[in-house]
Amino acid sequence: MLRYTIHRLLLMIPTLFGVAVLVFVLLRMMPGDIVELRLLMDGGQVSPEALATERARLGLDKSLWLQFYDWITGIMVGDFGTSMWTGRPVIDEIGSRLGLSLQVAIMATVLAIIIAIPLGTIAALYNNSWIDHAIRVFAIAGLAVPSFWLGMLIILALLYSFEWIPPLTYVPIWEDPLHNLSQLIWPAIAVGYRYSAVATRMTRSTLLEVLHEDYIRTARAKGVYERLVISRHAVRNAMLPVVTVVGLEFAFLIGGLVVTEQVFNLNGIGKLFVETVTRNDYTMVQALVMLVAAFFILINFVVDLLYAVLDPRIRYS
Amino acid sequence: MLKRYGAFILAAGALAFATGTADAQTPKRGGILKFAVSAEPPNYDCHGATSFAFIHPVRPHYNTLLKFDEPNYPKVKGDLAQSWTVSPDGLTYTFKLKPNIKFHDGSPMTSADVKATYERIATPPAGVVSIRKAAYEDVASIETPDPQTVVFKLKARNASMLTNFASPWDCIYSAAKLKQDPKFPEKNVMGTGPFKFVEHAAGSHWVGERFADYFEKGKPYLDGYRAIFIRNTAARVNALQAGEVLAEFRGHSPADQTKLVNALGDKVNVHESPWVCSLVVTFNTEKKPFDDARVRRALSLAIDRWQGAQALSKIALVRHVGGLLRPGYELAVSEKEIVQYPGYGKDISKARAEAKKLLADAGVKDLKFKFLNRNVPMPYTPVGVFVIDQWRQIGVTAEHDQPETKAYIGNLRSGNYDVGLDFNCDAVDDPNLQLLKYISADKSSINYGRYNDRKLDDLYEKQKRELDPKKRMALLRDFEKHALTEAYTFPTIWWHRIIVNWKQLKGWHMSPSHYINQDLQDVWLDQ
């Protein structure tokens, strides 16, 4: 197991290097220029000399090889560079916003699990009853409704009912829990609903499969109480694919809060992603893609390890 | 008895009304103004910035030598300057500075700071980006005979110098700080303005607090301000509707105006004004058949600007028909005169018949091209759709191509387009700024038509040097007539600025530019 863990950790390095090469090349192929965008976006006369000065200041006049070399050697010593748009260190820019996105993602995950596991279990146990149908409608609606649209509905409902919208300025939860929760609970519900729908369907279908397994029949034949059959044998074993879905959905959330953060004006990673891509802020986009890639790799790794914990039959060697 | 009491009640009522009126007019101290900004400044250097997103949060920290007299725009008045004189030959501008002006670090502001600031703009040190360098290319020297006096000597007369000195971008910096580091303003905010810098939370907000030592006694009225960056239009309007912010100073679409007024009724004030911005059709004159003036003029003639202005004003923030200068501006063409220009007549059938004939004369049949536009919904998309429909009516087919802003700008600048919807929008109405779009490409980096026309260059130069407003006006008309006849680039419909602010926001004046009048020193909250 230890050997497997080390092997997987080492494999992350070439994977991340591949991501680095890909994102660097693709970004340079995109049309447009951060300097032109910044200085000409709103009109006004800007001389070619001023544009050239700014390009030189940002290092965009260097060859692509040199730009890549500077960036990759910087990463190796933990320096992700400075944002071409703001001039501030990339790490600071991301660090100041990661907490918010993580909090929304965690809140949405908790909400999803709280909703999905009981609902999925009930639906499986009452298979093809009206309860099952109702839960399936709830889940399908959750998959069909985009999070940002639900977010807009939530905001409009709050606005028209109470002339109130969630606060626009972020305050960390340890500074003012009420302010923080009143801001983040709504986007968490908006994204958590879809998330719960995915997990509910997965819980239901895997539980239905598990309930037909021999060991469940054996447990029942041995006279084990039905409640224990469900909780100890069926649900636990059904959790394996659910864990995968929860893990991957969490990773998706980190990189995927893009539109929802715009709707709620949350200063998180998603909003930063949109802004930096539209600005052609190479250093920021590169760092964000690397961050999300690292997150996905790490979550996949953790899910694989959790498999072994949840299912004694799985052992990596 | 009743009569006596009646008179008393009437008098008391009159007094109460008078007091109430006086109270409503007398600025109150205190409060934090929260307003929305739809974008965010990248760094803090006024001299290297071009966006309103910079002006709105940053301008309250600074002063300029002159500024626009808000209710009497485009007249200028002193900001740091107490008074000024211009020599009869128009070559010497002498400014007397107001006394007791301090920077936010407590150091006194003198003529040396003004000199250092303008030298930085006119001759930027290595690595410093100066956007408005060209505006001061006529300055030969800057002298400081005493700490309160600064003298600009010009090499040649320039009709726009006073407007230049009122530019909202020419923030006055500390000479001492610039001497330490010419790039100091990029990462630091330290001016003489009514508000001191407190905080910039990237992506979130910007905070300024009242500068207690501000040289205008009793001002500013606000304790501070908080600019909140809200990129999403719906989120911005929702924030206004909920009262999370009291203002947004760039402008709203007619639909958002209606939504806010319906929701908030008399809780808001609606300000409207023609806007010093226009969307212009520009041709890549290096590509056939757009190198032929007949084709370009035909496409201008096909557009019914008068009907289009009425129809589009209901759905987009455009409303005014005008030439190369904003309709209503003192140097702009009158309606009586403009209807004589190609594409501006009111008989659209006649114009379109002429357009078809011009295309036939040029040997152009079934003209098809890609029409490059910006993927910004307001007002680019509706204006683009409108223009394409107008061309369809003379048998021309244009495919609407709307890439995102950076690709759009890149294509325009590199000439990777056939016909494009470009924008012309600078801080003020000044012809030296507004006409730069139209002069030859080898003299103007924002001429995306890629043409050279020496007649336009000559007329531009002459109007620039002409100090007599009547003579300058005549030169401007010659310029305009020639530019619109050649039709390398022509305006569609000018923008209309709509601002919806909560009523307790007082002391802010509407203007045709979203770049000026944003120092907030006269703004107060009636609460």
Side-chain angles (χ1 to χ4, degrees):
Chain A
M1 187 74 177
L2 182 67
R3 202 174 153 191
Y4 171 79
T5 307
I6 292 167
H7 178 70
R8 284 288 301 268
L9 284 171
L10 286 174
L11 267 180
M12 285 182 190
I13 296 168
T15 312
L16 284 171
F17 184 77
V19 172
V21 173
L22 205 64
V23 69
F24 185 88
V25 172
L26 289 177
L27 270 176
R28 266 53 181 192
M29 285 164 68
M30 280 168 65
D33 175 316
I34 186 169
V35 176
E36 286 180 356
L37 184 72
R38 186 204 285 176
L39 298 178
L40 299 166
M41 185 170 58
D42 292 323
Q45 163 84 324
V46 182
S47 68
E49 184 193 344
L51 293 171
T53 306
E54 190 62 0
R55 283 198 187 99
R57 196 176 68 86
L58 297 174
L60 293 171
D61 56 345
K62 293 181 187 173
S63 71
L64 285 184
W65 284 114
L66 205 56
Q67 286 182 48
F68 182 74
Y69 176 80
D70 286 349
W71 177 55
I72 215 77
T73 49
I75 290 179
M76 284 172 187
V77 291
D79 177 12
F80 282 80
T82 53
S83 160
M84 288 185 173
W85 187 265
T86 65
R88 285 186 285 271
V90 163
I91 291 290
D92 292 356
E93 293 269 14
I94 295 175
S96 67
R97 302 176 195 213
L98 188 60
L100 187 148
S101 294
L102 271 176
Q103 193 187 337
V104 175
I106 289 168
M107 284 169 72
T109 307
V110 170
L111 266 171
I113 292 170
I114 289 173
I115 294 168
I117 293 176
L119 283 189
T121 308
I122 291 167
L125 293 179
Y126 294 91
N127 187 23
N128 274 331
S129 69
W130 69 268
I131 298 176
D132 180 29
H133 290 142
I135 291 172
R136 283 158 73 183
V137 166
F138 170 83
I140 287 168
L143 289 175
V145 171
S147 303
F148 69 88
W149 188 75
L150 182 63
M152 280 197 272
L153 285 189
I154 290 172
I155 286 185
L156 290 176
L158 293 170
L159 191 57
Y160 286 109
S161 305
F162 308 106
E163 291 186 353
W164 181 86
I165 58 168
L168 295 168
T169 309
Y170 174 67
V171 176
I173 194 161
W174 56 89
E175 282 181 23
D176 186 346
L178 198 65
H179 179 108
N180 176 280
L181 290 175
S182 66
Q183 182 183 34
L184 301 190
I185 190 68
W186 309 106
I189 290 171
V191 291
Y193 177 35
R194 188 193 165 280
Y195 196 165
S196 72
V198 175
T200 299
R201 282 170 62 83
M202 185 55 78
T203 307
R204 178 185 172 277
S205 60
T206 50
L207 199 57
L208 277 174
E209 274 178 39
V210 168
L211 285 171
H212 291 98
E213 293 284 339
D214 289 344
Y215 60 86
I216 297 292
R217 201 175 303 125
T218 309
R220 280 178 176 149
K222 282 163 64 181
V224 178
Y225 287 118
E226 184 64 15
R227 195 188 299 168
L228 287 180
V229 170
I230 300 300
S231 60
R232 284 201 187 162
H233 297 280
V235 173
R236 183 174 170 168
N237 284 299
M239 281 302 101
L240 219 58
V242 176
V243 165
T244 312
V245 165
V246 168
L248 289 178
E249 282 287 318
F250 185 78
F252 269 119
L253 271 189
I254 292 300
L257 281 168
V258 170
V259 190
T260 310
E261 286 187 354
Q262 300 283 330
V263 171
F264 287 91
N265 199 47
L266 296 178
N267 193 25
I269 291 294
K271 189 176 164 194
L272 183 63
F273 226 137
V274 173
E275 286 172 356
T276 52
V277 168
T278 52
R279 290 167 182 164
N280 259 20
D281 188 348
Y282 297 141
T283 42
M284 281 298 296
V285 179
Q286 285 162 188
L288 281 165
V289 172
M290 294 299 285
L291 175 80
V292 173
F295 223 86
F296 262 92
I297 294 168
L298 209 63
I299 293 272
N300 264 309
F301 174 62
V302 171
V303 166
D304 284 352
L305 292 184
L306 272 177
Y307 265 42
V309 174
L310 287 170
D311 189 343
R313 291 172 300 179
I314 300 170
R315 285 290 177 266
Y316 300 112
S317 57
Chain B
M1 184 77 172
L2 187 66
K3 202 174 172 181
R4 205 170 73 188
Y5 277 115
F8 174 72
I9 290 164
L10 204 67
L15 185 67
F17 177 76
T19 312
T21 309
D23 277 346
Q25 299 303 317
T26 308
K28 292 176 184 170
R29 272 287 305 275
I32 304 289
L33 171 66
K34 290 205 276 184
F35 60 92
V37 187
S38 59
E40 188 171 356
N43 65 34
Y44 309 156
D45 188 353
C46 301
H47 301 168
T50 55
S51 173
F52 74 93
F54 180 94
I55 289 286
H56 291 191
V58 180
R59 181 68 178 83
H61 300 300
Y62 289 100
N63 291 105
T64 47
L65 202 48
L66 302 178
K67 67 178 181 179
F68 289 95
D69 184 357
E70 296 177 2
N72 301 306
Y73 173 88
K75 287 196 168 54
V76 297
K77 64 179 184 180
D79 192 7
L80 292 178
Q82 190 163 49
S83 62
W84 65 92
T85 56
V86 183
S87 64
D89 61 3
L91 293 175
T92 306
Y93 288 70
T94 306
F95 294 91
K96 286 282 176 194
L97 302 176
K98 290 175 183 171
N100 305 319
I101 300 172
K102 285 182 183 170
F103 281 106
H104 296 157
D105 66 352
S107 60
M109 197 286 301
T110 69
S111 54
D113 300 301
V114 177
K115 178 179 160 75
T117 295
Y118 279 99
E119 282 176 348
R120 186 175 189 265
I121 298 172
T123 50
V128 169
V129 176
S130 169
I131 303 293
R132 281 152 284 274
K133 185 181 170 183
Y136 296 98
E137 66 188 6
D138 292 328
V139 174
S141 66
I142 306 170
E143 293 164 13
T144 52
D146 64 64
Q148 298 303 112
T149 309
V150 59
V151 182
F152 291 81
K153 294 206 164 158
L154 307 191
K155 291 178 269 191
R157 300 193 310 178
N158 187 323
S160 297
M161 278 320 284
L162 286 179
T163 307
N164 287 341
F165 288 125
S167 166
W169 305 105
D170 297 357
C171 303
I172 302 296
Y173 293 138
S174 155
K177 297 289 182 194
L178 292 181
K179 195 175 174 188
Q180 280 171 20
D181 177 8
K183 292 184 183 178
F184 176 82
E186 265 178 33
K187 291 188 176 168
N188 301 278
V189 181
M190 213 284 285
T192 56
F195 295 92
K196 286 171 74 170
F197 175 72
V198 176
E199 178 190 24
H200 173 205
S204 175
H205 59 270
W206 184 292
V207 181
E209 68 175 10
R210 189 174 190 274
F211 177 35
D213 280 341
Y214 190 54
F215 63 90
E216 294 264 5
K217 288 295 163 216
K219 291 182 183 175
Y221 302 116
L222 297 168
D223 287 338
Y225 69 93
R226 177 178 282 254
I228 300 175
F229 304 116
I230 312 177
R231 185 184 167 90
N232 182 279
T233 305
R236 215 163 45 245
V237 175
N238 289 340
L240 254 174
Q241 191 177 329
E244 273 273 340
V245 294
L246 295 183
E248 192 277 338
F249 297 116
R250 184 178 178 274
H252 300 288
S253 68
D256 289 340
Q257 175 196 1
T258 306
K259 185 187 172 198
L260 288 166
V261 170
N262 286 346
L264 298 171
D266 61 0
K267 290 179 186 165
V268 288
N269 281 321
V270 178
H271 308 269
E272 296 192 53
S273 161
W275 201 341
V276 62
C277 297
S278 65
L279 291 180
V280 298
V281 170
T282 193
F283 297 95
N284 186 346
T285 58
E286 289 177 348
K287 289 193 178 180
K288 286 192 180 300
F290 308 113
D291 57 341
D292 188 331
R294 290 171 297 184
V295 176
R296 299 191 301 261
R297 206 178 310 135
L299 294 179
S300 180
L301 281 161
I303 298 171
D304 187 350
R305 291 170 170 83
W306 302 98
Q307 287 295 322
Q310 277 187 25
L312 282 172
S313 67
K314 290 171 187 155
I315 56 163
L317 45 81
V318 294
R319 184 171 295 186
H320 310 278
V321 178
L324 306 189
L325 297 170
R326 179 182 61 84
Y329 172 52
E330 57 192 15
L331 294 176
V333 64
S334 66
E335 185 175 330
K336 192 180 165 191
E337 205 172 347
I338 202 173
V339 292
Q340 309 299 323
Y341 292 172
Y344 286 84
K346 292 197 173 176
D347 185 345
I348 191 64
S349 305
K350 189 180 156 195
R352 286 186 182 145
E354 191 186 339
K356 285 177 184 169
K357 187 176 178 301
L358 281 170
L359 288 178
D361 290 350
V364 174
K365 280 183 185 172
D366 301 326
L367 179 59
K368 286 181 184 163
F369 56 85
K370 266 194 177 179
F371 184 48
L372 178 70
N373 194 1
R374 191 176 186 177
N375 75 336
V376 172
M378 191 54 63
Y380 293 80
T381 303
V383 172
V385 170
F386 164 73
V387 169
I388 287 171
D389 180 62
Q390 298 290 293
W391 288 334
R392 187 182 54 79
Q393 298 185 42
I394 58 163
V396 171
T397 309
E399 184 192 331
H400 207 176
D401 178 26
Q402 286 196 275
E404 59 178 313
T405 298
K406 60 179 184 292
Y408 160 81
I409 291 175
N411 287 338
L412 273 180
R413 284 183 58 78
S414 64
N416 181 28
Y417 75 102
D418 300 322
V419 185
L421 192 66
D422 186 12
F423 58 104
N424 199 23
C425 194
D426 215 310
V428 287
D429 284 299
D430 183 71
N432 289 4
L433 287 174
Q434 295 293 327
L435 300 184
L436 279 169
K437 181 70 77 186
Y438 301 91
I439 62 172
S440 292
D442 59 5
K443 293 184 182 299
S444 165
S445 64
I446 54 168
N447 173 341
Y448 302 140
R450 310 173 83 79
Y451 60 85
N452 291 321
D453 186 322
R454 298 302 164 213
K455 184 173 178 185
L456 287 177
D457 299 343
D458 182 50
L459 286 166
Y460 178 83
E461 195 61 20
K462 279 182 181 157
Q463 69 78 32
K464 186 178 176 183
R465 306 293 171 206
E466 183 52 68
L467 300 185
D468 181 330
K470 277 189 179 167
K471 288 181 185 167
R472 193 182 190 199
M473 187 107 160
L475 289 164
L476 288 170
R477 292 297 75 80
D478 288 346
F479 184 101
E480 196 164 50
K481 208 174 286 175
H482 181 65
L484 292 174
T485 305
E486 288 297 321
Y488 308 106
T489 294
F490 57 78
T492 55
I493 295 162
W494 283 76
W495 292 18
H496 182 74
R497 190 173 177 214
I498 301 167
I499 298 287
V500 184
N501 289 341
W502 280 72
K503 261 193 177 154
Q504 58 260 49
L505 174 72
K506 307 273 188 186
W508 180 84
H509 293 272
M510 184 64 162
S511 77
S513 167
H514 57 304
Y515 294 90
I516 62 169
N517 302 345
Q518 288 300 143
D519 61 21
L520 304 181
Q521 76 161 15
D522 298 315
V523 169
W524 55 282
L525 295 176
D526 191 9
Q527 58 185 22

